[in-house]
Amino acid sequence: MAQAIMSSKKEKLLNVSEDLFYLHGFHAIGLKRIITDADVAIMTLYNHFASKEDLIVEVLLRREQRYLEQLRLYADNKAKSVFLNLAEGHAKWLMEHEARGCLFLRAKEEFGADPNHVIVQTVNGHKKHLITLIKKSDPEANDRSIMQFMLLLEGSTALAETENVKEVCRELIHMTQNSFNS
């Protein structure tokens, strides 16, 4: 029972942290705000995370897992091209989440470009994992096509911050169909 309570508290900490970081940024949110909003004690936070950086990394890794799982589900549709499937999965992600841009790139912006920083490494790893997913989903795809497709995904994420997300997603699908019609 104690394990279940701790797991639910950790889950709450992660959910509250992700929401706060996504809405306000990483540096703007302190641990006090997180524990207040999660309604847990500071020791509960430190029982699960050694530092704010550890909390941020786990938030990013969980978000990545959810995103890549969604893309994998779409990639398995054999009736359409892999690129179109992945674009549809990405569009659904954009539609379901508040259009505030890429949480990973926001993390990299806030924590600098030091390649040795654990948060920067996590962000860089996420982008590499996405490329790996595309390559595994379509082994025939060449590096240039994958780079072009990544530009469509990243561009649609950025544009959804300022433009109507439905229109951005519609254009993402349209451009993917026109560019990757195999």
Side-chain angles (χ1 to χ4, degrees), residues 1-18 31 34-49 55 58-59 62:
M1 174 125 162
Q3 183 71 15
I5 291 170
M6 289 308 244
S7 294
S8 69
K9 287 183 179 186
K10 181 178 181 180
E11 187 73 21
K12 184 149 188 177
L13 280 165
L14 288 166
N15 289 336
V16 166
S17 297
E18 182 175 350
L31 294 179
I34 292 168
I35 64 169
T36 299
D37 285 17
D39 194 28
V40 300
I42 190 74
M43 285 311 298
T44 302
L45 184 132
Y46 282 116
N47 284 336
H48 294 291
F49 308 100
L55 173 62
E58 190 150 347
V59 163
R62 276 177 21 121

Side-chain angles (χ1 to χ4, degrees), residues 109-163:
E109 289 167 5
E110 286 195 44
F111 288 93
D114 176 5
N116 297 317
H117 194 285
V118 65
I119 293 171
V120 174
Q121 290 175 342
T122 303
V123 170
N124 292 342
H126 166 67
K127 298 304 178 181
K128 287 178 181 155
H129 296 153
L130 181 53
I131 290 169
T132 299
L133 172 69
I134 296 167
K135 286 180 180 180
K136 284 183 179 177
S137 299
D138 186 356
E140 303 291 317
N142 61 46
D143 290 343
R144 185 174 186 195
S145 293
I146 292 170
M147 180 66 70
Q148 290 171 350
F149 184 65
M150 287 289 293
L151 286 167
L152 286 178
L153 296 182
E154 296 293 336
S156 65
T157 302
L159 196 57
E161 289 186 74
T162 60
E163 299 299 320

Side-chain angles (χ1 to χ4, degrees), residues 21-100:
F21 293 149
Y22 198 51
L23 288 173
H24 304 288
F26 297 93
H27 291 308
I29 295 299
L31 294 179
K32 184 174 180 172
R33 172 75 186 270
I34 292 168
I35 64 169
T36 299
D37 285 17
D39 194 28
V40 300
I42 190 74
M43 285 311 298
T44 302
L45 184 132
Y46 282 116
N47 284 336
H48 294 291
F49 308 100
S51 66
K52 184 178 176 184
E53 282 185 356
D54 287 348
L55 173 62
I56 291 169
V57 167
E58 190 150 347
V59 163
L60 291 172
L61 292 175
R62 276 177 21 121
R63 189 173 181 92
E64 175 185 53
Q65 181 181 12
R66 289 192 319 270
Y67 174 68
L68 294 179
E69 282 175 7
Q70 179 163 313
L71 291 186
R72 280 186 200 98
L73 288 173
Y74 276 79
D76 288 342
N77 179 358
K78 303 301 181 205
K80 300 178 188 173
S81 76
V82 169
F83 287 121
L84 183 56
N85 289 334
L86 293 173
E88 288 176 353
H90 183 76
K92 183 175 187 218
W93 179 271
L94 290 177
M95 299 285 283
E96 290 177 348
H97 295 82
E98 192 171 339
R100 292 188 162 282

